[in-house]
Amino acid sequence: GYVPPSSPGGLNYCQQDYWGYYNANQAATLVPKLFLYPNEPLPERYRLQPIPNYTGTYVPLSSGADRTVNPNAITAGTLYRIIYPTGGNAKIDYEPNQYTDARTNQTFLGGGIRVKTVTLHDGINAANDIVKNYTYSGGVLLNRPQFAVPIPVYIGNDPYNTSGPAGSLTALSEY
């Protein structure tokens, strides 16, 4: 059998997390909530979650969609039971992937699912069930999903730098 979607009216393409998996939100847009930290290094400047206890400047960029992982909805459409012709079955339970944010040292739910347990039932007696539990070490997110990129603003009246040495344009700032 398969896990049915929790949405009775069918799936809406805006009901997805950062990685494109179903999350049952009620959003009308795919634009997520983002946080801008202008004084952070470029890879940390646009963030999906706020940095706890941050004392510098930060700006919530939008009141966009909730694109976080919903552990109760992410398994929609997945295989959860295999029934064998002998009467036995295998039941599969899943959990969301997790990753640790190196900047905040916090663990977040990540894209996709992984097998948590498999229960093998012989079809005769539940006391004979074999349960296999799976554990995973913490994941590392190599690249965050990107929903914003900085655009350099250059100084001077010569955008093609024909008057100075090659490659001498200097970025005034990034937005």
Side-chain angles (χ1 to χ4, degrees):
Y2 293 89
V3 178
S6 60
S7 177
L11 301 179
N12 176 322
Y13 78 96
C14 290
Q15 296 176 315
Q16 58 182 278
D17 64 24
Y18 299 116
W19 292 270
Y21 293 91
Y22 178 65
N23 76 349
N25 69 21
Q26 298 302 312
T29 180
L30 287 174
V31 176
K33 295 177 189 173
L34 290 176
F35 301 89
L36 169 63
Y37 292 85
N39 300 324
E40 288 292 310
L42 201 53
E44 298 293 332
R45 193 162 295 165
Y46 294 95
R47 298 186 49 85
L48 305 176
Q49 294 91 6
I51 299 173
N53 304 317
Y54 189 76
T55 58
T57 302
Y58 80 97
V59 180
L61 289 181
S62 72
S63 58
D66 175 12
R67 300 281 302 270
T68 57
V69 174
N70 179 341
N72 298 316
I74 196 169
T75 58
T78 59
L79 179 69
Y80 77 92
R81 187 179 306 271
I82 301 169
I83 300 173
Y84 300 112
T86 57
N89 65 70
K91 182 176 177 279
I92 307 165
D93 292 311
Y94 302 93
E95 65 184 3
N97 285 313
Q98 296 179 358
Y99 68 93
T100 300
D101 182 331
R103 170 65 174 83
T104 65
N105 202 31
Q106 289 181 302
T107 299
F108 293 101
L109 299 180
I113 56 175
R114 57 193 182 194
V115 174
K116 182 178 180 181
T117 61
V118 175
T119 304
L120 302 172
H121 178 64
D122 63 9
I124 299 170
N125 186 346
N128 296 332
D129 286 1
I130 298 171
V131 179
K132 295 181 180 182
N133 294 302
Y134 296 87
T135 57
Y136 303 88
S137 61
V140 175
L141 184 63
L142 298 177
N143 295 304
R144 278 190 208 99
Q146 272 195 281
F147 298 98
V149 293
I151 300 172
V153 176
Y154 294 98
I155 58 173
N157 294 328
D158 190 358
Y160 299 106
N161 194 27
T162 56
S163 61
S168 68
L169 285 178
T170 304
L172 175 64
S173 63
E174 293 176 345
Y175 294 94

